[in-house]
Amino acid sequence: MCGIFGFHARSRLPLAETLDGATDRLAHRGPDGRGTLIMRSPDGEWQAGLGHRRLSILDIEGSPQPMHSHDGRYVIVYNGEVYNYIELRAELMERGHRFATQGDTEVVIEAWRAWGDDCLPRLNGMFAFLLWDSETGRLYAARDPFGKKPLFLASGDGFHAFASEIDSLRHFPGVDDRLDQDSLREFLSYRYVPGPATFFRGISKVPPGTFMVVDGANIRAERYFTTPFSRTSPTVESFDEAVKLFGEKLDEAVRLRLRSDAPFGAYLSGGLDSSMIVALMSRHMGKPVATYSVGFDVPGSSELPYARQVADTFGSDHSELVVNMDAFTSVWEEAVLRRGAPVSEPSDLPVLLLSRLASRTVKMVLTGEGADELLGGYPKHRAEPWVSMYQSLVPGGLHEALVGPGARALPYAARRLKILAGVAGIRDAQARMVAWFGGADGGQAEALYSGPPQSRDLDPLPFTTDGEISPLKRMLHFDQTSWLPDNLLERGDRMMMAGSIEGRMPFMDVGLAELVAQFRDAFLTGAPKGKRVLRSLAAQLLPRQILERKKVGFRVPVEQWFRTGMSDQLRDLLQSDSATVRNVCNAREIDRLVSEHLGGAHNHEKILWALANLEQFFRVFRPTLDAEQPQAAQRRVASAFR
């Protein structure tokens, strides 16, 4: 697990110091090693720079990067883990390939030599890498199928540059750092920026499951993976068979992710998903699992007692962290810096704090993230299949006149019913996908946004499938191509790496997803709380009281904190004269939301958290607004390339 930076640029551009500085901005991702290298194309017209910061997990004493192939043709910087590297290495050795190290990085080089980009579907893991071919002068970039590892791209006059994080890339000379107005508009609806866009006009996300080829001034992108839910029909008819196959595949996914030369453990929330991971880890380890849990000092907002119960059941070496409001706010700006965007979920911050705690004793953890998006674990997954029936019975006008206003008037205690009643009336499927998780409904987002009309279309991939599939599978496809890579998996990478911890997610195994896509919908949502096949498997491994208890959820008590100790900070962020958010959003609407929340009339925690983070983003990054451009960018380019 590491941080990478690289560029392909005209040879005349002086970029050695830029490479060093950009690489060192990723030091938190790799405190164990550092390397940089600049190379020239065969014709001398182009240069490639590669930088690497290393967190040593495999082959700790070997495998420095940038790594050269044994014959010097290829050079790679690589971030991630390929869990089946032992099997791939053996296969490649049978084909005559040579190896000088014991880790997975050299396996990626030789796999590329053997199969080219066809090697990518063979790599079972999470990865982002840049690979230079000295014979052709081409730079290749690739990202894993689900986007667990990040990779950002900036292109300009005479260069293409890549990095693991936006902060590193943004300082590359010539990058357009103007605020992207369309991204601002989308953020108000999604609570995150859907890929491939970012908040900066000149920086984009390399899409998951994609590789790129940079050849001179040209760059080409090609997708090698799409979610199995978008292209697979159910073939497993027996529920018992589904449970058996799922159990075998999940166990294999956990076993492969235990490959490490550094100490490791697990994040344990006490919920079903992480408890199952700890149970399966206990099967394969000859010593207690090191488990780590985080909770809050507000009554009713902590699952620590349940996590402790699971830890006791499996005899884990358990550590707990109780987060108060001061600790929470102390890492807020750092969390925004590492994400390169507003923090979408308050839970990002305690994950960062927990990662700092865990890094004192381990370098890697397994987590339960991705289970809900794989197995239909959210209420929306059980509700979406019924929306078409509701809309056939209730005309749109009736919904808008009676149901919608009635839902908005419900108290916060009925928040799930409020969401259901509001979203069920949205007839556009694309808008409905966004609204299930969004912090603001369409009307509220429009009321807050004060910029120009949207000028680009959304990426069609999350809304596009091959052939007819069920509403559930269509929603799971959206979750796996938008919500996961652009939000939840960003937390899993950025917040853990901010604490120098690698996170591995067995539920995000591609083979497991291929299997689950073959299940009937009833095997997923055919239980009161969803994830039916997982619950059936868990009944064989977990205590009954864990399976049957009421879910508390990992809910940071932001609602209470906004009304109490964080109220002055909230007012400063959203209502002070220096608040940029008041210039780019509707200030009157912001004031209404703040007043209603602090006065106890309504709970607006989701949208207020989004707006407060938007302001934190402006204060941390100070992106150039349109009024300051393009002159600012032109001055920066001119001074850098003189």
Side-chain angles (χ1 to χ4, degrees), residues 1-4 20-34 52-55 165 167-168 338 497-500:
M1 191 65 64
C2 310
I4 62 175
D20 285 339
T23 300
D24 287 340
R25 285 183 176 274
L26 300 168
H28 56 282
R29 297 184 66 92
D32 298 332
R34 176 191 185 277
H52 188 262
R53 295 293 312 215
R54 187 182 186 202
L55 180 67
E165 293 186 6
D167 181 51
S168 178
R338 299 309 176 205
M497 291 306 296
S500 299

Side-chain angles (χ1 to χ4, degrees), residues 249-547:
K249 202 67 178 177
L250 180 60
D251 187 67
E252 178 190 12
V254 170
R255 179 183 61 81
L256 285 175
R257 283 160 180 78
L258 298 181
R259 290 177 170 175
S260 173
D261 295 329
F264 59 87
Y267 282 176
L268 176 61
S269 71
L272 173 64
D273 308 331
S274 63
S275 298
M276 277 296 295
I277 298 303
V278 171
L280 294 172
M281 290 175 71
S282 299
R283 281 180 166 183
H284 296 287
M285 295 176 59
K287 60 181 181 179
V289 181
T291 54
Y292 303 87
S293 300
V294 62
F296 309 98
D297 64 352
V298 176
S301 296
S302 181
E303 292 190 301
L304 285 177
Y306 301 114
R308 200 175 306 125
Q309 184 179 11
V310 176
D312 291 343
T313 298
F314 295 101
S316 71
D317 182 5
H318 191 57
S319 300
E320 294 181 350
L321 176 66
V322 178
V323 174
N324 59 28
M325 185 184 66
D326 290 339
F328 178 82
T329 56
S330 71
V331 295
W332 193 354
E333 290 186 11
E334 180 181 359
V336 172
L337 175 66
R338 299 309 176 205
R339 285 200 68 151
V343 174
S344 301
E345 302 291 333
S347 53
D348 282 30
L349 278 62
V351 170
L352 192 161
L353 291 165
L354 185 64
S355 297
R356 287 182 174 174
L357 171 68
S359 67
R360 299 173 187 172
T361 49
V362 299
K363 284 192 172 184
M364 179 269 284
V365 294
L366 272 65
T367 79
E369 287 180 301
D372 290 311
E373 293 79 9
L374 176 70
L375 299 165
Y378 295 124
K380 68 168 190 171
H381 294 133
R382 301 188 293 280
E384 175 67 18
W386 297 97
V387 167
S388 60
M389 180 181 294
Y390 170 82
Q391 293 182 352
S392 67
L393 297 173
V394 180
L398 180 61
H399 176 90
E400 292 301 321
L402 295 177
V403 181
R408 289 189 286 273
L410 290 171
Y412 178 69
R415 62 184 180 277
R416 287 188 174 176
L417 183 58
K418 287 167 66 83
I419 294 172
L420 172 61
V423 175
I426 300 175
R427 311 232 158 204
D428 179 81
Q430 179 171 313
R432 192 167 63 249
M433 292 290 178
V434 176
W436 280 117
F437 268 134
D441 59 31
Q444 190 175 69
E446 291 297 324
L448 281 167
Y449 182 69
S450 61
Q454 188 157 341
S455 60
R456 67 162 178 253
D457 295 328
L458 290 170
D459 179 9
L461 177 67
F463 312 102
T464 305
T465 58
D466 296 336
E468 289 295 323
I469 62 173
S470 69
L472 171 64
K473 297 289 177 64
R474 190 182 307 116
M475 178 168 283
L476 290 170
H477 169 70
F478 171 83
D479 289 347
Q480 292 173 19
T481 53
S482 182
W483 167 258
L484 270 173
D486 296 327
N487 186 17
L488 194 62
L489 294 179
E490 286 197 3
R491 176 180 75 191
D493 174 82
R494 248 57 106 241
M495 296 304 101
M496 292 186 198
M497 291 306 296
S500 299
I501 282 284
E502 173 185 303
R504 299 181 178 181
M505 304 164 189
F507 285 109
M508 295 311 308
D509 183 88
V510 171
L512 191 64
E514 296 279 2
L515 172 65
V516 173
Q518 300 174 50
F519 293 170
R520 297 164 59 90
D521 289 5
F523 296 175
L524 307 181
T525 55
K529 298 178 183 178
K531 296 186 287 193
R532 181 187 172 197
V533 69
L534 178 61
R535 293 184 186 280
S536 182
L537 177 65
Q540 305 170 25
L541 300 173
L542 298 179
R544 182 176 177 181
Q545 55 267 36
I546 293 295
L547 292 172

